[in-house]
Amino acid sequence: NIILMGPPGAGKGTQAAKLVEKYGLKQISTGDLFRKAIKEETKFGVIAKYFISFGYLVPDDFTIQMIQEYLEENINTEEFKNGFILDGFPRTIIQARKLADICSMFNFKIDAVINLDIPEDVLVKRLSGRRTCADCGKSYHIVYNPPKKEGVCDACGGELILRDDDKPETVEQRLRVYHEQTQPLIDYYTKEGILKEVDGTIDLEDVFAEITKI
Ligand code: ADP
Ligand code: ADP
Ligand code: ZN
């Protein structure tokens, strides 16, 4: 079981999708879970929508409750038999501590935390060019990782859109939130002895090769 960590736009979702394909791991993306909840207008969706649209984190208690409910329902299914990738969770120290409790509760262990290291100017370019499938959530980039047919998802044929929170005003806020609330996790997991640093700026196939080595 691994955690993929890094600022918005670092390539977590892109690498998670490749790991799913190669190792049959299950991807758990809290961002995807929130977007699904928003679409379906569930209780989590109504709350999350507001915070996400302003580039804030969804409060810890809701996020933890959502992931806990998700795991309770899914952890014993066939899809989880090869392990999982947490993509976008934890994002705060409180979430990381709670994850440790959840691990002992469900009797599993995090083997590695992979941190995609990448400077801010690169992130801004990635997020402004990111296009996301409205149906399955797969992400593309208009220059670095284009779909076969413009505006259409390779995987499911869905429409590719610019996420509302990938607009420049919101990106700036998300990066601030990352530095304040998520970056401290690098120290946290270094102390736990499971942090692995990967250069996130190189070509996405090369990033994948580095992760594969780990
Ligand atoms: P990105 O991959 O670009 O960093 P995500 O899809 O992971 O974005 O997350 C989108 C938004 O969903 C975040 O900006 C935040 O508002 C919310 N979110 C996702 N994961 C969490 C989390 N673990 N804790 C709180 N909010 C979260
Ligand atoms: P995250 O989930 O960390 O927010 P994504 O995986 O969605 O990030 O990637 C952000 C954007 O950058 C997407 O448009 C993606 O296609 C692109 N991208 C991902 N990895 C790379 C890479 N190594 N080089 C160039 N572009 C990349
Ligand atoms: Zn799709």
Side-chain angles (χ1 to χ4, degrees), residues 1 3 10 20 30 44 62 77 83 101 144 153 163 188:
N1 305 320
I3 296 173
V20 167
T30 38
F44 291 122
F62 294 114
T77 61
D101 296 342
Y144 311 130
C153 176
R163 260 167 56 179
Y188 178 94

Side-chain angles (χ1 to χ4, degrees), residues 132-140 152-160:
T132 305
C133 177
D135 290 340
C136 77
K138 197 170 190 303
S139 80
Y140 298 84
V152 181
C153 176
D154 292 348
C156 80
E159 183 197 359
L160 301 185

Side-chain angles (χ1 to χ4, degrees), residues 7-9 12 30-32 34-35 51-52 56-58 63 88-91 95 127 130 163 165 174:
K12 301 180 294 297
T30 38
D32 287 349
F34 281 133
R35 281 184 289 277
F51 292 97
I52 293 178
Y56 299 117
L57 293 183
V58 180
T63 304
F89 182 90
R91 263 175 148 103
Q95 291 179 15
L127 292 170
R130 170 156 72 181
R163 260 167 56 179
D165 61 337
R174 286 162 66 207

Side-chain angles (χ1 to χ4, degrees), residues 117-118 126 198-208 210:
D117 185 35
I118 188 160
R126 286 202 185 170
V198 170
D199 180 358
T201 58
I202 55 181
D203 184 88
L204 60 93
E205 295 299 339
D206 299 330
V207 175
F208 187 58
E210 289 301 313

Side-chain angles (χ1 to χ4, degrees), residues 133-193:
C133 177
D135 290 340
C136 77
K138 197 170 190 303
S139 80
Y140 298 84
H141 192 281
I142 49 176
V143 180
Y144 311 130
N145 187 23
K148 291 196 179 80
K149 184 163 179 267
E150 198 187 315
V152 181
C153 176
D154 292 348
C156 80
E159 183 197 359
L160 301 185
I161 55 161
L162 174 65
R163 260 167 56 179
D164 241 3
D165 61 337
D166 278 347
K167 293 181 178 148
E169 319 82 80
T170 323
V171 164
E172 212 173 285
Q173 176 58 28
R174 286 162 66 207
L175 291 173
R176 253 198 307 271
V177 164
Y178 168 77
H179 291 302
E180 280 168 19
Q181 297 184 265
T182 308
Q183 214 169 19
L185 289 177
I186 297 176
D187 267 353
Y188 178 94
Y189 284 115
T190 303
K191 288 190 185 119
E192 299 268 302

